Amino acid sequence: MAFKHFITLYDVRSTLDPPAWSPNVWKVRFILNFKRLPYCTQFLAYPDIAGVLSSVGAPPTRAEMPQYTVPAILDEAEGSSPLALSDSSHIAMHLDKTYPEPSIFPGGCHREQMRYAAAIHKHVMLPMLHMVVPSTVDILEGRDLDYYLATREGFLGIALEDMFPPHKQQAVWDGILRGLDELAALIDSSRDHRAGPWMFSPVENPSYADFVLGAMLIWFRRAGPRGCWDRICRRNDGKWEHLLQILEPYMEVL
């Protein structure tokens, strides 16, 4: 009998079509699609995340409120107890260990991929945060918007209105562009260790860090202020636009 399994991916909803925008969830979605694993996405209202995830046994990701965050998965395999996991990096490790082909760490390059992911966090995610977090209110409504407005300052330690006010916007943009330039320099310096069209992979297939960067760029494009993607997509010889183009086969929202 064929081994059967099915995965539920928990995401947060929005007014977009499709609703997917969260960068950490996109990391997992890319991996599920790349590995062609059978799954579906359950989009949750922000106020319902804690109740739903705790009910399926997903562990909290934070000691402070909100303790439960997406992504989480419920991995149900025939003959085994369902396994609930949270935190995108933990989920990625589980998926690659349990369903190893094709690997997101080709050639056993786990340490190198984590180094690249840390650079993406430093040079891309953190500079973009101050722009995208306040603009996310434009893709939320109702209970989701109320919850988001009530919790972001406690979550991030800064009020939304203080993240991207007019007098800070040039400095935020300068930080984003500088970070992209620094990441581009890292990518160019490692060209001899890559294969195919990818930014970080030593083989013809994408690797974990390619998915991490793709997730950040989708987040910026979908949840950032109007026109922000157009300002960066062709920067650095078009690297960022090109990456999202070649990641399109793994962007299906199921």
Side-chain angles (χ1 to χ4, degrees), residues 126-141:
L126 289 179
M128 289 179 173
L129 192 73
H130 281 256
M131 182 182 294
V132 182
V133 168
S135 71
T136 301
V137 300
D138 295 331
I139 61 170
L140 302 174
E141 63 184 9

Side-chain angles (χ1 to χ4, degrees), residues 19-232:
W21 63 272
S22 167
N24 288 324
V25 182
W26 267 107
K27 296 176 194 176
V28 177
R29 179 175 290 110
F30 275 136
I31 297 168
L32 292 169
N33 288 333
F34 172 61
K35 291 177 175 289
R36 298 184 179 182
L37 296 172
Y39 80 97
C40 70
T41 305
Q42 183 173 340
F43 287 97
L44 304 175
Y46 255 119
D48 299 337
I49 289 174
V52 172
L53 297 191
S54 62
S55 72
V56 300
T61 53
R62 291 166 43 87
E64 305 83 12
M65 298 295 292
Q67 293 179 302
Y68 290 86
T69 58
V70 293
I73 66 167
L74 184 64
D75 191 351
E76 300 177 274
E78 188 174 62
S80 302
S81 299
L83 177 63
L85 293 171
S86 53
D87 187 283
S88 62
S89 60
H90 293 165
I91 294 169
M93 302 307 165
H94 162 76
L95 293 175
D96 208 61
K97 180 179 180 180
T98 308
Y99 313 104
E101 296 298 331
S103 179
I104 58 174
F105 302 110
C109 61
H110 177 272
R111 180 176 298 178
E112 183 179 44
Q113 291 296 308
M114 291 298 105
R115 181 173 66 85
Y116 288 143
I120 294 164
H121 180 82
K122 175 182 177 181
H123 296 308
V124 180
M125 187 268 187
L126 289 179
M128 289 179 173
L129 192 73
H130 281 256
M131 182 182 294
V132 182
V133 168
S135 71
T136 301
V137 300
D138 295 331
I139 61 170
L140 302 174
E141 63 184 9
R143 297 171 62 227
D144 300 295
L145 179 58
D146 292 342
Y147 181 89
Y148 191 83
L149 292 172
T151 58
R152 289 311 90 179
E153 182 171 359
F155 190 58
L156 297 170
I158 183 173
L160 288 181
E161 59 268 25
D162 294 331
M163 296 188 77
F164 195 55
H167 69 279
K168 291 183 180 180
Q169 290 180 7
Q170 187 58 54
V172 172
W173 266 116
D174 290 346
I176 290 171
L177 300 179
R178 183 169 56 251
L180 291 172
D181 292 347
E182 291 172 348
L183 186 66
L186 173 63
I187 292 167
D188 290 342
S189 71
S190 62
R191 185 180 294 115
D192 292 343
H193 303 288
R194 301 196 314 273
W198 303 101
M199 303 286 181
F200 304 104
S201 178
V203 298
E204 293 295 326
N205 287 332
S207 63
Y208 176 68
D210 293 300
F211 293 138
V212 172
L213 179 55
M216 296 304 153
L217 296 177
I218 286 180
W219 171 58
F220 192 71
R221 186 175 70 178
R222 303 208 84 204
R226 184 183 301 274
C228 67
W229 173 246
D230 293 337
R231 188 165 173 180
I232 72 163

Side-chain angles (χ1 to χ4, degrees), residues 199 232-243 245:
M199 303 286 181
I232 72 163
C233 64
R234 295 177 184 86
R235 191 176 178 87
N236 307 113
D237 301 318
K239 282 181 172 61
W240 323 123
E241 183 176 50
H242 178 65
L243 179 62
Q245 287 173 345

